[in-house]
Amino acid sequence: MALPQVAIVGRPNVGKSTLFNRLLRQRRAVVEEVPGTTRDRIYGVVDWNGLRFGLFDTGGLLTDEEIARSSERELLEATKAQAEMAVREADVIVFVVDAAAGPTAGDWEVAEFLRRTDKPIVLAANKAESRERELNALQFYEFGLGEPIPISALHGKGIPDLLEAIAERLPRREAVETLEPEAPKIALVGRPNVGKSALLNAILGQPRQIVSPIPGTTRDTVDTELVWKGQPIVLIDTAGIRRPGRIERGIERYSVLRAERAIERADVAVLVLDATEPFTHQDQAIAGRVIDAKKGIVVAVNKWDLFEQMEGAREAFEEDAHAVFHFMPWAPLVFVSALTGKNVEQVVDLALVVVAERSRRIPTAELNQLLREAIAHHPPPTKPGKWVKFYYVTQAAVNPPTFVFFCNRPQLVHFSYKRYLENRIRERYGFLGTPIELVFRARERSAPAWKRGESSRQ
């Protein structure tokens, strides 16, 4: 990355995610008073006084002894590996400690690990809301990592001093942003444990996200910026979305809310399915949320390596998928294996095709020629004294493509005829993977040109 990078590390529950949100000035990381809430690396860009740098939030670093005693040993080891990877990629490390608790054995172990990295370290003593806790922060001088900066991530206290310290330690390089602000956003969505994080890792070619058979491993929405075949993009990994009745209170509820918000800010959602499991109503519901948000969609069938040798399996799956997702027959379907990497490139390639389709504009003259042909082939249904006459059509917007039809009685246009017009548009122009919106408006027929000219001369 062209931007200098900063990693926030420390013990669990010292306020790393709260500080991450404070520095980004937005609620990007899930914050709960539960140790281990953050598991993956979460990334954002900080813009402060003309200085821009990338910022990683990481999971809490536990001691080897604590990990060995835990029932989630494998998951905690993966969390630690993610934090260590963020440290290796960072130019500056912000070591967050708890001023209320004072130095702990775990803090000492983290300090020893960071000292071996030989990288600039900023020591942030968080939760120093009171004068007493500010004095407690002085105890962290013992680590030999420089002056501890007392802060309160929750209240914003000491944040300017912290940013100044970070700025002093950042390498002096040309801060050129590698991605344009308009980089397409592609969200990976689906039920828990269908392989969204594994698919992201396969696309990136590195273990960017923790992958585990435990449902609910991913809790935050995680943005990953990259350049794909010359095209800047943002991949968004999300938490699995369960049925509303099965969503637990607390962390999971916020995680699901963030996944839904990720759909709102994405251009295209990749709905990840598990080929080894039957379709569910929840798969339909998630697809419905994407369509309701008017976003593009690609359906990725993961774990297909287990079926690709079975004769007729693909055709049977496609037939079932078209029946289940009958409300979006225009959505592309791609069969992938995050484990072997097969066809994972097609997921991003298709998503970028959908992004382009969402931005297409059709000339008004072509649209009206299509409308005349459609009416000639199949006129709108009429009743005695209640006929529908179309005047013209124009494309009013993109993202999603929106077409406005002007007619004398829009309220009489039957939904079946609206579907017919949409199908005619898609037959000619495609709009692969994206909803299109048809709007019908009343308009009095304009006066003849000679009459309009006569009026203007008067």
Side-chain angles (χ1 to χ4, degrees):
M1 298 182 183
L3 290 178
Q5 304 298 304
V6 177
I8 300 175
V9 300
R11 296 265 299 154
N13 212 32
V14 294
K16 298 183 299 299
S17 294
T18 304
L19 178 59
F20 179 82
N21 290 340
R22 172 68 65 178
L23 294 177
L24 260 63
R25 300 178 185 175
Q26 55 180 294
R27 292 183 61 83
R28 281 281 296 281
V30 176
V31 176
E32 283 278 330
E33 292 183 6
V34 179
T37 299
T38 300
R39 290 170 173 173
D40 295 301
R41 287 179 291 162
I42 310 169
Y43 184 77
V45 176
V46 175
D47 194 340
W48 177 74
N49 284 355
L51 174 68
R52 289 170 63 80
F53 59 86
L55 185 68
F56 285 108
D57 184 21
T58 65
L61 289 169
L62 293 171
T63 66
D64 292 337
E65 183 180 345
E66 288 172 324
I67 292 174
R69 291 199 308 263
S70 174
S71 59
E72 295 184 321
R73 178 177 178 177
E74 183 180 341
L75 202 57
L76 293 175
E77 287 177 341
T79 300
K80 185 175 182 178
Q82 287 286 313
E84 291 173 348
M85 190 178 298
V87 168
R88 288 195 296 271
E89 295 175 6
D91 298 295
V92 175
I93 300 163
V94 177
F95 177 21
V96 182
V97 292
D98 188 337
T104 67
D107 291 326
W108 276 102
E109 187 167 316
V110 175
E112 287 296 327
F113 162 68
L114 295 180
R115 195 176 288 111
R116 292 193 298 270
T117 66
D118 199 28
K119 291 190 175 184
I121 296 170
V122 178
L123 184 56
N126 191 29
K127 306 183 185 179
E129 289 87 0
S130 65
R131 178 62 178 168
E132 180 184 354
R133 290 186 179 182
E134 283 186 30
L135 295 175
N136 283 347
L138 299 177
Q139 300 175 67
F140 294 99
Y141 267 112
E142 301 172 5
F143 294 159
L145 298 175
E147 181 181 357
I149 301 174
I151 67 168
S152 171
L154 183 62
H155 299 100
K157 181 180 178 181
I159 298 302
D161 294 336
L162 177 65
L163 285 165
E164 287 284 357
I166 293 172
E168 290 172 2
R169 292 163 175 79
L170 285 174
R172 298 304 170 191
R173 65 175 75 170
E174 186 179 358
V176 178
E177 178 62 273
T178 56
L179 299 181
E180 295 295 327
E182 296 81 12
K185 294 182 176 63
I186 303 169
L188 306 181
V189 300
R191 291 183 289 115
N193 213 32
V194 293
K196 299 182 294 298
S197 296
L199 179 58
L200 175 65
N201 290 342
I203 292 170
L204 297 177
Q206 60 169 307
R208 177 65 176 82
Q209 289 293 88
I210 296 173
V211 178
S212 167
I214 302 171
T217 301
T218 298
R219 289 174 170 174
D220 288 286
T221 57
V222 182
D223 291 13
T224 302
E225 302 177 342
L226 68 151
V227 177
W228 181 267
K229 300 179 181 179
Q231 167 70 57
I233 64 172
V234 178
L235 295 177
I236 308 173
D237 190 20
T238 67
I241 303 176
R242 300 176 189 258
R243 288 189 293 110
R246 298 189 63 188
I247 297 173
E248 297 177 7
R249 297 183 64 184
I251 293 172
E252 185 179 9
R253 180 165 59 87
Y254 290 120
S255 298
V256 170
L257 180 62
R258 276 171 167 72
E260 293 172 349
R261 287 178 178 171
I263 293 174
E264 291 292 337
R265 63 190 178 91
D267 299 292
V268 177
V270 175
L271 174 60
V272 183
L273 305 178
D274 186 337
T276 66
E277 297 180 359
F279 293 108
T280 69
H281 290 299
Q282 185 62 3
D283 293 323
Q284 289 181 312
I286 296 170
R289 291 182 189 184
V290 176
I291 304 307
D292 289 343
K294 306 297 182 185
K295 305 298 180 177
I297 190 167
V298 172
V299 180
V301 185
N302 190 27
K303 307 180 185 179
W304 193 248
D305 52 299
L306 302 175
F307 298 90
E308 59 185 346
Q309 302 302 325
M310 295 174 58
E311 185 177 351
R314 180 171 181 141
E315 291 76 10
F317 195 99
E318 287 178 341
E319 184 178 345
D320 290 344
H322 289 145
V324 171
F325 301 112
H326 57 88
F327 49 90
M328 52 176 199
W330 34 263
L333 192 67
V334 57
F335 295 84
V336 305
S337 170
L339 180 65
T340 66
K342 185 170 183 179
N343 292 339
V344 294
E345 285 195 9
Q346 288 187 26
V347 175
V348 182
D349 291 341
L350 269 174
L352 290 176
V353 169
V354 173
V355 169
E357 291 286 277
R358 288 173 58 75
S359 302
R360 287 187 65 186
R361 280 197 176 274
I362 311 300
T364 300
E366 290 186 23
L367 285 173
N368 282 283
Q369 177 62 30
L370 181 148
L371 178 62
R372 287 191 291 271
E373 293 173 3
I375 293 173
H377 182 265
H378 177 37
T382 60
K383 294 181 180 180
K386 293 184 178 180
W387 48 273
V388 176
K389 184 172 182 62
F390 286 92
Y391 299 133
Y392 68 95
V393 58
T394 187
Q395 184 174 356
V398 296
N399 294 320
T402 303
F403 302 92
V404 181
F405 292 80
F406 291 91
C407 58
N408 62 338
R409 293 184 173 92
Q411 71 278 8
L412 296 184
V413 181
H414 195 265
F415 77 89
S416 61
Y417 200 73
K418 294 177 182 179
R419 179 63 56 86
Y420 165 72
L421 292 174
E422 177 181 341
N423 290 340
R424 293 302 296 263
I425 291 173
R426 289 190 182 277
E427 285 171 10
R428 183 162 301 182
Y429 298 110
F431 291 110
L432 179 73
T434 183
I436 64 175
E437 201 164 0
L438 273 56
V439 179
F440 296 83
R441 290 181 181 168
R443 179 186 181 278
E444 293 298 327
R445 194 172 184 179
S446 59
W450 65 268
K451 212 166 194 178
R452 293 198 305 272
E454 182 180 309
S455 301
S456 62
R457 286 194 298 271
Q458 294 174 353

